[in-house]
């Protein structure tokens, strides 16, 4: 039985295109593995905090020397990392906001990138420690970024792929639902995205 981690980063609930696209990916995964368990992490409901001094102090203090304050500050990070480590497949919903990812998703990433835990530095450079996972990115955008002039302005998919690769997740499939702000495309944008899913 595989474990799917469903990461939500749109606050729009049932109206969200990235959530609908991610749900369609999960439905397809469950067709292959009906017993798959889905754990949902809604980053818009109790978002991860921006990194503050207390978080950074905790990150860079050896675990054996953690004070109560360090332990409290690192709780979010430990929880997020444990959820990823427990999962076989990550489905990350990613609305495009101002050409990039939403700040709640960025905060989650900031709590996950931990030297010595999700990656390590070696003499050959950094090595990701989160191995054996597959990830799907469900991207929703108002414009069209899969081709054409705007493609250079998609900082969502290259960034997420680079971050995941850095921590060791290199088997990544991008699924796009795009054109929700384009009159001629908006009616079919979601269905086209769902039809493009390849598991
Ligand atoms: C604050 C905000 C910023 C946005 N910025 C962009 C953008 O830079 N480019 C774009 O194509 N669409 C942009 N959009 C449109 C969203 O990407 C689009 O509505 C998408 O469906 C949002 O995902 P969701 O439906 O899962 O919430 C923006 C929407 C919002 C609310």
């Amino acid at each position: 039985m595989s474990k799917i981690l469903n990461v939500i980063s749109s606050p729009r609930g049932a109206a969200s295109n990235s959530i609908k696209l991610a749900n369609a990916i999960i439905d397809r995964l469950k067709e292959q593995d009906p017993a798959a368990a889905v754990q949902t992490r809604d980053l818009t409901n109790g978002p991860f905090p921006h990194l503050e001094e207390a978080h950074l102090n905790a990150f860079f203090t050896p675990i054996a020397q953690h004070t109560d304050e360090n332990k409290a500050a690192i709780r979010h990070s430990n929880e997020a990392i444990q959820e990823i480590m427990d999962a076989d497949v990550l489905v990350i919903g990613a609305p495009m906001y101002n050409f990039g990812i939403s700040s709640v998703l960025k905060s989650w990433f900031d709590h996950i990138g931990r030297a010595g835990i999700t990656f390590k530095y070696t003499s050959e450079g950094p090595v990701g420690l989160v191995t054996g996972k597959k990830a799907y990115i469900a991207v929703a955008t108002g414009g069209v970024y899969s081709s054409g002039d705007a493609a250079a302005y998609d900082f969502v998919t290259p960034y997420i792929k680079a971050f995941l690769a850095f921590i060791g997740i290199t088997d990544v499939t991008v699924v796009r639902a795009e054109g929700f702000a384009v009159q001629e495309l908006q009616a079919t944008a979601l269905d086209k995205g769902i039809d493009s899913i390849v598991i």
Side-chain angles (χ1 to χ4, degrees), residues 28-112:
R28 293 283 303 278
L29 288 168
K30 291 192 84 171
E31 280 172 19
Q32 282 192 353
D33 180 4
V38 181
Q39 161 100 19
T40 298
R41 169 59 80 170
D42 184 347
L43 300 175
T44 71
N45 184 8
F48 282 67
H50 288 168
L51 293 185
E52 294 174 356
E53 189 181 12
H55 301 110
L56 301 181
N57 284 343
F59 287 177
F60 296 111
T61 300
I63 290 170
Q65 293 166 26
H66 271 181
T67 62
D68 286 347
E69 192 193 350
N70 292 150
K71 285 178 189 160
I74 214 152
R75 184 177 54 85
H76 290 98
S77 172
N78 286 347
E79 269 179 28
I81 291 170
Q82 192 60 53
E83 281 178 356
I84 291 183
M85 295 298 192
D86 285 347
D88 302 295
V89 182
L90 276 66
V91 179
I92 300 174
M96 177 183 277
Y97 281 178
N98 302 310
F99 305 110
I101 60 171
S102 64
S103 59
V104 292
L105 186 56
K106 177 62 165 60
S107 284
W108 186 68
F109 285 154
D110 286 343
H111 284 266
I112 290 165

Side-chain angles (χ1 to χ4, degrees), residues 10 12 16-18 95-99 140-143 145 180:
S10 165
R12 298 201 313 123
S16 159
N17 297 308
S18 60
M96 177 183 277
Y97 281 178
N98 302 310
F99 305 110
T141 57
Y145 297 84
F180 292 102

